[in-house]
Amino acid sequence: MARIVVAEDDVDVDVDVADWLAQVLGRAGHTVYPALDGPTALELTEVHHPDLVIVDQQMPGMTGLQVADRLLADPATADTPILMVSAAAPAGAEDVVDLVLAKPFRSRHLVDAAHRLLQMPRRPVDPVTDPRRLLQVAALVDDFSLTDQCEADLFTANVAVLLDADTAAINLLLNDSVLIAAASGLPPLLQETRGAPAGWAPCTSVVRHGNPVLLTDTHTDPNHHHNPLVTRCGIRSYAGVPLRVATGEVVGTLCVLKSQPLAFTNRTTETLTVLAGRAIRYLQRRAN
């Protein structure tokens, strides 16, 4: 029914707890991958992509909470439910794992807890850190061609002229930063760095929600009036649209910037949306 990684090394006088857990869950129809320590549990999780991970707190190598922290920090496993079985769960464990089952417990309590977590809605995955999206971005930035770079820069220059913008750019959103893949008219700071932290960039919102974003005046926008791109680069107007690959993931944006407010309208985003397909083709040519 479900794939379950069980991290448990406890052996008392009468029973091997890890083996008992595997038998109980196996009789309930689940496929169990036992691990005797935290690092092995992480390895099995990477290989088998389980539907549930069960950890004890006290294990060699890593504690159960350390295993849980690693699982939650990895976008590939951040939505995997975690059950802790422990005779002495640490304070705050329930703030990290989804459920704590205190030892000793009966087999039906374990089966019920596993069933409850397997039926629980998965934690929402942030589209920005979705591993499938990041793999698509990695494929696009893997190989850079100088010829295609120049052609893409010329394309952005034409976009800037068409939309009366100071700056036009093709951006790729990485895990925590924006990479400027091609651009025309960049402010000096961005020209030097060819990127920015994801938290600064309106492009992050475009990618996260998969929709165009239009900022008519950053000075009156509470989310951006203290943004270093505004205070240090002088950006007052922004319009950006998603760049979506054939598999559906949004890898970045095509955007325009201007130092005057009220420079762009919904018609701007409509035009950018039409041009986005051409921007994607430049990126895909560079990756080939």
Side-chain angles (χ1 to χ4, degrees), residues 139-252:
L140 293 174
V141 300
D142 186 56
D143 184 33
F144 288 84
S145 161
L146 181 59
T147 300
D148 289 336
Q149 173 76 68
C150 293
E151 291 181 3
D153 286 343
L154 180 60
F155 166 73
T156 60
N158 290 334
V159 171
V161 171
L162 177 65
L163 297 175
D164 190 26
D166 298 333
T167 303
I170 298 172
N171 297 319
L172 290 171
L173 185 61
L174 309 179
N175 188 33
D176 56 4
S177 62
V178 172
L179 170 68
I180 301 173
S184 173
L186 287 172
L189 176 63
L190 295 181
Q191 182 65 50
E192 179 180 350
T193 61
R194 301 293 293 191
W200 295 6
C203 296
T204 301
S205 180
V206 176
V207 172
R208 176 167 285 123
H209 301 290
N211 295 315
V213 168
L214 177 65
L215 301 177
T216 57
D217 189 352
T218 57
H219 286 195
T220 61
D221 189 310
N223 294 320
H224 292 285
H225 68 280
H226 290 311
N227 188 330
L229 293 181
V230 174
T231 59
R232 298 175 63 183
C233 298
I235 296 169
R236 291 290 296 273
S237 297
Y238 168 95
V241 300
L243 297 180
R244 196 181 303 272
V245 294
T247 52
E249 291 83 13
V250 178
V251 294

Side-chain angles (χ1 to χ4, degrees), residues 116-127:
R116 174 180 168 187
L117 293 180
L118 290 168
Q119 297 300 312
M120 183 179 69
R122 290 294 184 101
R123 303 182 191 94
V125 176
D126 185 351

Side-chain angles (χ1 to χ4, degrees), residues 23-90:
Q23 290 184 32
V24 169
L25 294 169
R27 287 197 298 267
H30 303 299
T31 300
V32 180
Y33 304 98
L36 296 180
D37 55 51
T40 302
L42 293 174
E43 292 174 5
L44 291 173
T45 299
E46 183 177 358
V47 171
H48 297 292
H49 309 289
D51 304 294
L52 172 65
V53 175
I54 299 176
V55 296
D56 188 10
Q57 170 60 6
Q58 300 299 328
M59 297 184 295
M62 301 174 71
T63 67
L65 280 187
Q66 289 173 330
V67 173
D69 285 337
R70 288 278 295 274
L71 294 173
L72 293 171
D74 187 341
T77 53
D79 67 339
T80 303
I82 305 169
L83 169 64
M84 175 175 284
V85 294
S86 178

